[in-house]
Amino acid sequence: MRITAVTCVKNEGPFLLEWIAFNRLLGVTDFLFYSNDCSDGTDRLLDALAGREDLEALAGRVVHLPNPAEGRNYQMEALKDAAHQKVVKRAEWVWIADVDEFLNIHVGDHTIPALIEACGDPAAISVHFQFFANDGIDAFEDRPVIAQFTRSHNPDIWCGETAIEVKSLTRKDFPLQYYGAHRPFFSERKGDKKTLAWTDGSGRKVPHRFLVAANPRRIRKFPAKGARDFATLNHYALRSLDSYLVKNDRGDVNRENRAFDDTYWRERNDPAWQDASIARYLPALEAALEALKADTEIGALHAEAVRLHREKRDALLAQPAYMQMQEQLRRARTLPPEEEAMLLEMGML
């Protein structure tokens, strides 16, 4: 089965090998990466992987392209371009996800083909996010992210919402209008919604309003309760505090004379639940990473990305604004803002 993973990256160098090796364990055969404005060696590492047929057993077939976007809409422009790339057109299934998202499959041999079989081979499968907390981890470590972060919100409730975002696997014969970052969009000219098989991560039909994208609040999400029997999408949006500071800089470098909004962090830093089920992949993942890093070229480029990541952290923490941000995040409650507001109103905080 040819499965192509499509993603956009900017300064994800230290985390690339883990994500690639993990997805190879799931059965992904091909990768299409779009990169832009990288300063940590992400692009150099991807270029090296793209030219190495001898590493396909560990890293699959890697295609690396510059992001074609000319404005700020990097992801959507890349996905529009991806639909015309051979590595996508020849795939039996397409998996669109980010480098901090890991598909945790609970059935069979824990691969994408096993998930597809469990769901009855539908035209699309949409799997719900589970946001994993920072859980007080300050320091960046060069070891698997999936081993370091094991706590999350209640899987069925996030920030007072029972509807949680998804990412989707799409079969080659899906009546596609275009790929979205979270789900494919249906073409009325190519098929009939009434007969379309589209399931959640438990093999159940997705809700009608999500299927037809009739409700703006349901275009990217729907209720998560009971939807994770076969798979969960582990989302490590925060990682370590060190890495979160670097990530924040990547998105917004100008914080002078402006208060830092910690809402994104607090919404994803709820450690109420523990879930270490993804650890089932760790022995094979660690062996694959060791083999990749043993390659002289790949190992050196990975080490360079790790070094540049740490140097960026050090440079940021030399700035008062980032020192303040670090302290603010350390002090922030691990309650989602909505839950804190409710408890305050009830006089329980």
Side-chain angles (χ1 to χ4, degrees):
M1 184 182 291
R2 299 197 75 157
I3 304 169
T4 294
V6 182
T7 193
C8 299
V9 290
K10 178 182 177 182
N11 289 347
E12 294 282 6
F15 309 106
L16 283 177
L17 293 186
E18 179 185 3
W19 194 78
I20 291 169
F22 182 88
N23 279 281
R24 284 291 291 139
L25 296 177
L26 297 183
V28 171
T29 55
D30 301 83
F31 295 86
L32 174 56
F33 285 91
Y34 289 92
S35 70
N36 64 280
D37 306 313
C38 295
S39 59
D40 73 341
T42 292
D43 45 1
R44 293 190 294 276
L45 179 52
L46 288 172
D47 283 342
L49 288 166
R52 297 290 298 277
E53 292 184 5
D54 58 317
L55 291 178
E56 284 186 6
L58 297 170
R61 289 176 285 268
V62 175
V63 177
H64 175 217
L65 298 173
N67 197 303
E70 296 180 356
R72 291 182 59 85
N73 202 1
Y74 286 101
Q75 192 170 44
M76 292 312 300
E77 289 300 314
L79 292 179
K80 189 184 300 182
D81 182 81
H84 304 289
Q85 295 294 330
K86 287 182 180 179
V87 69
V88 170
K89 292 173 72 174
R90 70 188 179 193
E92 295 170 71
W93 286 82
V94 176
W95 171 234
I96 296 171
D98 297 332
V99 174
D100 58 3
E101 297 165 356
F102 290 74
L103 186 56
N104 183 12
I105 297 170
H106 310 310
V107 292
D109 63 357
H110 310 294
T111 64
I112 290 173
L115 173 61
I116 292 166
E117 181 180 4
C119 290
D121 194 21
I125 304 170
S126 292
V127 182
H128 282 83
F129 284 169
Q130 188 168 331
F131 295 98
F132 279 75
N134 162 267
D135 199 25
I137 297 175
D138 270 13
F140 162 74
E141 295 185 44
D142 181 23
R143 64 188 186 94
V145 167
I146 67 168
Q148 297 180 61
F149 305 95
T150 62
R151 303 199 70 90
S152 76
H153 58 94
N154 180 325
D156 295 338
I157 303 172
W158 176 65
C159 292
E161 291 279 342
T162 57
I164 301 175
E165 291 183 336
V166 298
K167 287 292 178 77
S168 302
L169 277 157
T170 306
R171 202 172 65 191
K172 64 180 179 182
D173 58 350
F174 185 94
L176 186 72
Q177 182 178 4
Y178 64 92
Y179 289 113
H182 292 258
R183 46 83 61 80
F185 286 87
F186 184 88
S187 171
E188 299 283 359
R189 296 182 294 102
K190 297 179 181 179
D192 183 359
K193 288 190 179 81
K194 294 180 181 178
T195 60
L196 181 66
W198 189 343
T199 75
D200 64 14
S202 290
R204 309 178 308 181
K205 290 182 179 180
V206 297
H208 178 73
R209 287 188 174 183
F210 175 85
L211 174 69
V212 300
N215 183 336
R217 296 188 69 246
R218 296 291 183 263
I219 286 177
R220 305 185 344 174
K221 59 186 180 180
F222 56 89
K225 187 174 179 59
R228 292 189 173 91
D229 289 352
F230 302 152
T232 300
L233 185 58
N234 289 21
H235 190 186
Y236 303 92
L238 305 183
R239 301 179 181 134
S240 67
L241 179 52
D242 283 351
S243 294
Y244 187 74
L245 295 176
V246 174
K247 173 180 177 175
N248 219 272
D249 171 75
R250 179 186 69 189
D252 186 358
V253 296
N254 183 16
R255 294 201 169 274
E256 187 176 2
N257 298 322
R258 185 156 61 86
F260 170 62
D261 184 354
D262 61 11
T263 301
Y264 183 94
W265 171 275
R266 292 185 57 205
E267 287 178 342
R268 289 156 182 81
N269 197 29
D270 180 352
W273 200 269
Q274 185 156 33
D275 182 353
S277 61
I278 202 168
R280 64 172 71 97
Y281 295 99
L282 272 174
L285 176 63
E286 288 170 341
L289 284 171
E290 184 177 354
L292 279 169
K293 293 175 185 178
D295 180 272
T296 303
E297 180 185 24
I298 302 304
L301 287 167
H302 173 78
E304 179 188 34
V306 167
R307 175 180 60 81
L308 292 170
H309 189 74
R310 288 181 170 134
E311 287 180 1
K312 171 59 74 172
R313 171 205 61 195
D314 293 343
L316 293 175
L317 288 175
Q319 303 174 33
Y322 275 89
M323 290 179 64
Q324 293 170 12
M325 185 190 304
Q326 182 190 56
E327 286 306 307
Q328 181 176 338
L329 293 174
R330 281 174 175 163
R331 294 193 307 268
R333 292 186 187 273
T334 57
L335 289 170
E338 295 90 342
E339 187 174 346
E340 180 187 42
M342 179 185 70
L343 292 173
L344 285 169
E345 185 174 345
M346 296 171 65
M348 298 176 67
L349 279 180

